Amino acid sequence: MHWKMLLLLLLYYNAEASMCHRWSRAVLFPATHRPKRSSSLPLNPVLQTSLEEVELLYEFLLAELEISPDLQISIKDEELASLRKASDFRTICNNVIPKSIPDIRRLSASLSSHPGILKKEDFERTVLTLAYTAYRTALSHGHQKDIWAQSLVSLFQALRHDLMRSSQPGVPP
């Protein structure tokens, strides 16, 4: 009877550990896991699946971006905006990344306690959130600028920490 209890506890612990790890992925960017029924947007869009797409993402970020009063992000360059990946870029920027200070702080806190290294799509979304935060910091004044700057620094530190962890040999993802 004693060994059965031990086996049961071991199985429960293993199931609990795997469930917590599986669900922890949804915590960083919950919008990717809550699609709207009426939406035709991709469920979990990813921009960088090849080196060419990484370079294209860089071009998107270097191109002049426009943020409307309702915080919708668009690419001003018509040629870049017409590309298929530009649609995914707009989806991620407008529907996935956090845009308010509380949401960005929540992301920073989740990143600081995130076990292992970030998945490629989470890293990509965090970089886009960092770029958005830098843009908002540049446009803000006074106390608001300080708040955005603090968020920018905490996101930068989380990304730096992830890069340092991923460069160490033998670190599990």
Side-chain angles (χ1 to χ4, degrees):
M1 177 77 169
H2 183 66
W3 65 272
K4 288 181 183 178
M5 183 65 89
L6 183 61
L7 183 60
L8 183 63
L9 285 172
L10 185 60
L11 286 172
Y12 174 76
Y13 174 76
N14 189 22
E16 184 70 24
S18 64
M19 289 295 285
C20 289
H21 180 65
R22 186 179 83 201
W23 288 110
S24 69
R25 286 183 261 151
V27 173
L28 293 178
F29 296 93
T32 60
H33 300 282
R34 287 183 297 183
K36 296 176 184 169
R37 288 186 183 165
S38 63
S39 177
S40 63
L41 300 174
L43 179 63
N44 195 10
V46 178
L47 289 173
Q48 53 178 356
T49 56
S50 68
L51 181 58
E52 292 80 23
E53 290 176 350
V54 171
E55 292 171 356
L56 188 59
L57 174 59
Y58 186 67
E59 283 187 51
F60 289 157
L61 291 174
L62 286 179
E64 192 172 352
L65 297 177
E66 183 175 50
I67 299 180
S68 67
D70 62 345
L71 303 180
Q72 294 296 305
I73 298 171
S74 60
I75 302 169
K76 282 190 176 182
D77 184 322
E78 291 180 18
E79 184 180 342
L80 281 176
S82 68
L83 297 174
R84 184 178 302 152
K85 276 296 180 177
S87 174
D88 288 343
F89 178 78
R90 281 189 303 275
T91 299
I92 292 170
C93 289
N94 293 325
N95 301 316
V96 175
I97 66 168
K99 293 187 184 144
S100 68
I101 291 290
D103 290 341
I104 292 171
R105 285 185 174 169
R106 194 173 305 116
L107 173 63
S108 295
S110 297
L111 287 169
S112 67
S113 64
H114 185 74
I117 58 174
L118 293 175
K119 294 186 327 183
K120 177 175 53 176
E121 58 269 17
D122 289 336
F123 184 84
E124 169 185 285
R125 293 169 185 151
T126 305
V127 168
L128 289 173
T129 305
L130 180 78
Y132 174 79
T133 306
Y135 182 81
R136 291 296 303 262
T137 302
L139 293 179
S140 299
H141 302 287
H143 181 64
Q144 285 292 318
K145 188 175 194 94
D146 294 339
I147 293 172
W148 280 105
Q150 289 171 355
S151 297
L152 179 69
V153 168
S154 71
L155 282 173
F156 173 77
Q157 289 172 338
L159 283 171
R160 190 176 123 239
H161 182 69
D162 183 67
L163 288 171
M164 298 294 279
R165 247 187 309 188
S166 67
S167 66
Q168 296 174 350
V171 175

